[in-house]
Coordinates of all heavy atoms in Angstrom, one line a residue:
G91 N 31.2 -10.9 3.0 CA 31.4 -10.6 4.4 C 30.1 -10.0 5.0 O 30.2 -9.4 6.1
G92 N 29.0 -10.0 4.4 CA 27.8 -9.3 4.8 C 27.6 -8.0 4.2 O 28.5 -7.4 3.7
G93 N 26.4 -7.4 4.3 CA 26.1 -6.1 3.6 C 25.7 -6.3 2.2 O 25.8 -7.4 1.7
I94 N 25.4 -5.1 1.6 CA 24.7 -5.2 0.3 C 25.4 -4.2 -0.6 O 26.0 -3.2 -0.2 CB 23.3 -4.7 0.4 CG1 22.4 -5.7 1.2 CG2 22.6 -4.2 -0.8 CD1 21.6 -6.6 0.3
A95 N 25.6 -4.7 -1.9 CA 26.1 -3.8 -2.9 C 25.4 -3.9 -4.2 O 24.9 -4.9 -4.5 CB 27.7 -4.1 -3.1
M96 N 25.3 -2.7 -4.9 CA 24.8 -2.6 -6.2 C 25.8 -3.3 -7.2 O 27.1 -3.2 -7.0 CB 24.5 -1.2 -6.7 CG 23.6 -0.4 -5.8 SD 22.1 -1.2 -5.2 CE 21.2 -1.3 -6.6
D97 N 25.3 -3.9 -8.3 CA 26.3 -4.6 -9.2 C 27.1 -3.5 -10.0 O 28.2 -3.9 -10.4 CB 25.6 -5.5 -10.2 CG 25.0 -6.7 -9.6 OD1 25.1 -6.8 -8.3 OD2 24.5 -7.6 -10.3
Y98 N 26.5 -2.4 -10.2 CA 27.3 -1.3 -10.9 C 26.8 0.0 -10.3 O 25.7 0.1 -9.6 CB 27.2 -1.3 -12.3 CG 25.9 -1.0 -13.0 CD1 25.4 0.4 -13.1 CD2 25.0 -2.0 -13.3 CE1 24.2 0.6 -13.6 CE2 23.7 -1.7 -13.8 CZ 23.4 -0.4 -14.0 OH 22.1 -0.2 -14.5
L99 N 27.6 1.1 -10.5 CA 27.3 2.4 -10.0 C 26.4 3.2 -11.0 O 26.8 3.2 -12.1 CB 28.6 3.1 -9.6 CG 28.6 4.1 -8.5 CD1 28.1 3.5 -7.3 CD2 30.0 4.7 -8.4
L100 N 25.4 3.9 -10.5 CA 24.7 4.8 -11.4 C 25.4 6.2 -11.5 O 25.1 6.9 -10.6 CB 23.3 4.9 -10.9 CG 22.2 5.4 -11.9 CD1 21.9 4.3 -12.9 CD2 20.9 5.8 -11.1
D101 N 26.3 6.3 -12.4 CA 27.1 7.5 -12.4 C 27.1 8.3 -13.7 O 28.2 8.9 -14.0 CB 28.5 7.1 -12.0 CG 29.1 6.0 -12.8 OD1 28.4 5.6 -13.9 OD2 30.2 5.6 -12.6
S102 N 26.1 8.1 -14.6 CA 26.1 8.8 -15.8 C 24.7 9.1 -16.3 O 23.8 8.3 -15.9 CB 27.0 8.2 -16.9 OG 26.2 7.0 -17.4
M103 N 24.6 10.1 -17.2 CA 23.3 10.4 -17.7 C 22.8 9.1 -18.6 O 21.6 8.9 -18.6 CB 23.5 11.7 -18.7 CG 22.1 12.1 -19.3 SD 21.0 12.7 -18.0 CE 19.5 12.8 -18.9
E104 N 23.7 8.5 -19.3 CA 23.4 7.4 -20.1 C 22.7 6.2 -19.2 O 21.8 5.6 -19.6 CB 24.6 6.8 -20.9 CG 25.2 7.7 -21.9 CD 25.9 8.9 -21.3 OE1 26.7 8.8 -20.3 OE2 25.7 10.1 -21.8
K105 N 23.3 6.0 -18.1 CA 22.8 5.0 -17.2 C 21.4 5.3 -16.7 O 20.7 4.5 -16.5 CB 23.8 4.7 -16.1 CG 25.1 3.9 -16.6 CD 26.0 3.6 -15.5 CE 27.4 3.2 -16.0 NZ 28.4 3.1 -15.0
I106 N 21.2 6.7 -16.4 CA 19.9 7.0 -15.9 C 18.9 6.8 -17.1 O 17.9 6.4 -16.8 CB 19.9 8.5 -15.4 CG1 20.8 8.5 -14.1 CG2 18.5 9.0 -15.0 CD1 21.0 10.0 -13.6
D107 N 19.4 7.3 -18.2 CA 18.4 7.1 -19.4 C 18.1 5.6 -19.6 O 17.0 5.3 -20.0 CB 19.1 7.6 -20.7 CG 18.9 9.1 -20.8 OD1 17.8 9.6 -20.4 OD2 19.7 9.8 -21.4
A108 N 19.0 4.7 -19.3 CA 18.8 3.4 -19.6 C 17.9 2.7 -18.6 O 17.4 1.6 -18.8 CB 20.2 2.6 -19.7
L109 N 17.6 3.3 -17.5 CA 16.7 2.7 -16.5 C 15.4 2.5 -17.0 O 14.8 3.5 -17.7 CB 16.6 3.6 -15.2 CG 17.9 3.7 -14.4 CD1 17.6 4.7 -13.3 CD2 18.5 2.3 -13.8
D110 N 14.9 1.2 -17.0 CA 13.7 0.8 -17.7 C 12.5 0.7 -16.8 O 12.4 -0.2 -16.0 CB 13.9 -0.5 -18.4 CG 12.8 -1.0 -19.2 OD1 11.8 -0.2 -19.3 OD2 12.8 -2.2 -19.6
T111 N 11.5 1.7 -16.9 CA 10.4 1.6 -15.9 C 9.2 0.7 -16.5 O 8.2 0.8 -15.8 CB 9.8 3.1 -15.8 OG1 9.5 3.6 -17.1 CG2 10.8 4.0 -15.0
S112 N 9.4 0.1 -17.5 CA 8.3 -0.7 -18.1 C 8.2 -2.0 -17.4 O 9.3 -2.5 -16.8 CB 8.5 -0.9 -19.6 OG 9.6 -1.8 -19.8
R113 N 7.1 -2.6 -17.3 CA 6.8 -4.0 -16.9 C 7.4 -4.4 -15.5 O 7.9 -5.4 -15.3 CB 7.4 -5.0 -17.9 CG 6.8 -5.0 -19.3 CD 7.5 -6.0 -20.3 NE 8.9 -5.8 -20.3 CZ 9.9 -6.5 -19.8 NH1 9.6 -7.6 -19.1 NH2 11.2 -6.2 -20.0
I114 N 7.2 -3.4 -14.6 CA 7.6 -3.6 -13.2 C 7.0 -4.8 -12.6 O 7.5 -5.6 -11.9 CB 7.5 -2.3 -12.4 CG1 8.3 -1.1 -12.9 CG2 7.8 -2.6 -10.9 CD1 9.8 -1.3 -12.8
E115 N 5.6 -4.9 -12.8 CA 4.9 -6.0 -12.2 C 5.3 -7.3 -12.7 O 5.4 -8.3 -11.9 CB 3.4 -5.9 -12.6 CG 2.6 -4.7 -12.2 CD 2.7 -3.4 -13.0 OE1 3.6 -3.4 -14.0 OE2 1.9 -2.6 -12.8
E116 N 5.7 -7.4 -13.9 CA 6.2 -8.7 -14.5 C 7.5 -9.0 -13.9 O 7.8 -10.1 -13.5 CB 6.4 -8.5 -16.0 CG 6.4 -9.7 -16.8 CD 6.4 -9.2 -18.3 OE1 5.7 -8.4 -18.7 OE2 7.5 -9.7 -18.9
K117 N 8.4 -7.9 -13.7 CA 9.7 -8.2 -13.2 C 9.7 -8.6 -11.8 O 10.6 -9.3 -11.2 CB 10.7 -7.1 -13.5 CG 10.9 -6.9 -14.9 CD 11.9 -5.7 -15.3 CE 11.1 -4.6 -15.7 NZ 12.0 -3.3 -16.2
L118 N 8.7 -8.2 -11.0 CA 8.6 -8.4 -9.6 C 7.4 -9.4 -9.2 O 7.0 -9.5 -8.2 CB 8.4 -7.1 -8.8 CG 9.6 -6.1 -9.0 CD1 9.2 -4.8 -8.2 CD2 10.9 -6.7 -8.5
A119 N 7.1 -10.2 -10.2 CA 6.0 -11.1 -10.0 C 6.0 -12.1 -8.8 O 5.1 -12.5 -8.3 CB 5.7 -11.9 -11.3
Y120 N 7.3 -12.3 -8.4 CA 7.5 -13.2 -7.2 C 6.9 -12.7 -6.0 O 6.6 -13.3 -5.0 CB 9.0 -13.5 -7.1 CG 9.9 -12.3 -6.9 CD1 10.1 -11.7 -5.8 CD2 10.6 -11.8 -8.0 CE1 10.9 -10.5 -5.6 CE2 11.4 -10.8 -7.9 CZ 11.6 -10.1 -6.8 OH 12.4 -9.0 -6.7

Side-chain angles (χ1 to χ4, degrees):
I94 288 266
M96 308 309 295
D97 288 6
Y98 66 85
L99 209 56
L100 196 73
D101 55 2
S102 71
M103 184 66 195
E104 293 69 42
K105 289 182 190 165
I106 293 173
D107 273 332
L109 295 174
D110 176 13
T111 55
S112 69
R113 300 181 298 106
I114 297 296
E115 292 88 347
E116 203 181 304
K117 291 181 259 188
L118 300 179
Y120 54 84

